[in-house]
Amino acid sequence: MPLASDRASLAAFPIDWGGLAPLRLKSRAVAEGVYAGMHRSIRKGAGVEFGGQRPYVPGDDLRFFDRRALLRHDRLMVREFETETDRALWLCVDATASMSYRGRRAPGAKLAYAALIAAAMARVALATGDPVGLAWLGGAGTHGLPAMAGREAFERIVGALEATSAAQDWSGDAGAIERALAPVAKKARRGAVVLLISDLLDLAHESGAERALSAFTPLSTGGRTLIALQVLDPSEAELDFEGNVRLRALEGGAVVEADAGAVRAQYKARLAALADAWARALASRGGRLLRATSADPPTDVVRALVQAIAEVRR
């Protein structure tokens, strides 16, 4: 479960950046350490999907001259197509209350780490000319962004990530995930890469992974690629407490008192089962699950994400 000290839960948790700030500088440094190209950037040209028309310009390839437009509207038009590799990167960042947790070994909260990975991935994608969109699961002060490219896109994405606080308890709201992902389902076009960054813990509360998976996996329709990155705090991943502990969930309000050593194996087995359910479901849709802790080198994680995207698109 998401862990917390024995105190009253707050309505919102400002990001505990720790050593992960400033985001602009950290994410640029991470991106520079990663292979710069996930795939080719969006270009118009010969391809498999019609991408619209535009007025003819002297020098255009006459093979794409639209004769019907000339006959019907007496206008010289050229047909455009989108290549199969045209796609945007959609970042879906979990900002529910459980993402505010920071243990003693982590450089920052899980949400801070997720924001760093998201910003670095945006930097890599934008460097190749690919548009990047941003969507949120939970959170306070969140600001979703449509897929966009260009110089200002990175600054807008970083600004939206920095302005967010972890908030909302989704343990009792069965439709929250579907509502959060609806804009992505509507706007992400064929070939888009949808990257979910989450601890997956609150998304699996009570009903297991089924509810979250049933909302996320349908996004693979229409030729979209699904990648999920599970981010846990090292204390959550290992349950590295000693002796009798009293732990309170940041979502759902559950309180557990136990001998950490006695329940560690069972706890880790349940985490593994959760990850296995996600991995199998995503693999059946041609996607991939990756796992990390908030203490892992972010450059390694971003490099693994870039590689996973390249592999599933082959």
Side-chain angles (χ1 to χ4, degrees):
M1 68 173 63
L3 307 176
S5 59
D6 187 15
R7 59 180 172 78
S9 298
L10 301 177
F13 302 84
I15 297 181
D16 179 359
W17 290 103
L20 300 178
L23 183 58
R24 283 172 176 80
L25 297 180
K26 293 286 188 179
S27 59
R28 286 173 179 168
V30 171
E32 288 173 0
V34 177
Y35 172 64
M38 284 193 300
H39 49 74
R40 292 189 302 170
S41 58
I42 285 184
R43 292 183 176 86
K44 298 291 183 177
V48 296
E49 187 169 329
F50 181 66
Q53 297 173 317
R54 62 169 175 78
Y56 171 82
V57 176
D60 282 339
D61 193 330
L62 295 180
R63 291 179 299 170
F64 306 120
F65 178 69
D66 194 336
R67 297 178 178 83
R68 293 184 179 180
L70 177 62
L71 294 175
R72 292 180 180 179
H73 309 295
D74 196 28
R75 297 180 62 190
L76 297 177
M77 303 292 291
V78 174
R79 291 174 295 169
E80 290 186 316
F81 299 86
E82 294 179 354
T83 64
E84 284 187 302
T85 55
D86 289 351
R87 58 186 179 270
L89 172 64
W90 278 90
L91 302 167
C92 301
V93 180
D94 183 359
T96 52
S98 67
M99 293 295 288
S100 68
Y101 181 71
R102 177 189 181 185
R104 61 182 181 274
R105 291 194 288 140
K110 290 185 289 183
L111 181 53
Y113 190 84
L116 176 58
I117 298 299
M121 288 295 294
R123 184 78 174 179
V124 171
L126 292 168
T128 64
D130 298 318
V132 179
L134 177 63
W136 294 96
L137 280 67
T142 56
H143 180 53
L145 297 170
M148 54 188 173
R151 296 180 178 179
E152 296 183 0
F154 179 71
E155 294 299 323
R156 292 184 64 185
I157 291 169
V158 169
L161 292 168
E162 289 180 328
T164 299
S165 297
Q168 298 184 25
D169 179 351
W170 279 11
S171 60
D173 189 346
I177 303 171
E178 290 84 349
R179 292 193 300 272
L181 295 176
V184 179
K186 181 178 180 180
K187 297 176 183 178
R189 301 193 301 172
R190 175 181 178 83
V193 175
V194 183
L195 170 59
L196 171 65
I197 307 176
S198 169
D199 57 15
L200 303 183
L201 298 179
D202 54 302
L203 304 187
H205 184 75
E206 293 183 355
S207 61
E210 182 178 353
R211 188 183 69 188
L213 285 171
S214 66
F216 185 60
T217 52
L219 294 177
S220 64
T221 59
R224 294 180 287 237
T225 297
L226 303 184
I227 303 290
L229 173 65
Q230 183 185 34
V231 174
L232 296 177
D233 186 273
S235 294
E236 291 175 324
E238 300 296 331
L239 195 65
D240 60 354
F241 305 103
E242 298 297 335
N244 292 323
V245 294
R246 188 172 192 268
L247 305 172
R248 173 180 293 169
L250 287 166
E251 297 180 46
V255 177
V256 175
E257 296 185 13
D259 184 320
V263 302
R264 184 174 292 114
Q266 181 182 4
Y267 170 85
K268 294 175 73 172
R270 293 188 65 178
L271 280 183
L274 170 64
D276 183 63
W278 274 82
R280 286 187 286 105
L282 290 175
S284 69
R285 300 289 186 115
R288 187 75 61 83
L289 171 72
L290 284 77
R291 304 175 70 186
T293 76
S294 51
D296 290 342
T299 300
D300 293 347
V301 175
V302 173
R303 186 179 294 114
L305 286 170
V306 170
Q307 182 177 352
I309 291 171
E311 290 175 351
V312 298
R313 296 301 299 178
R314 288 175 183 172

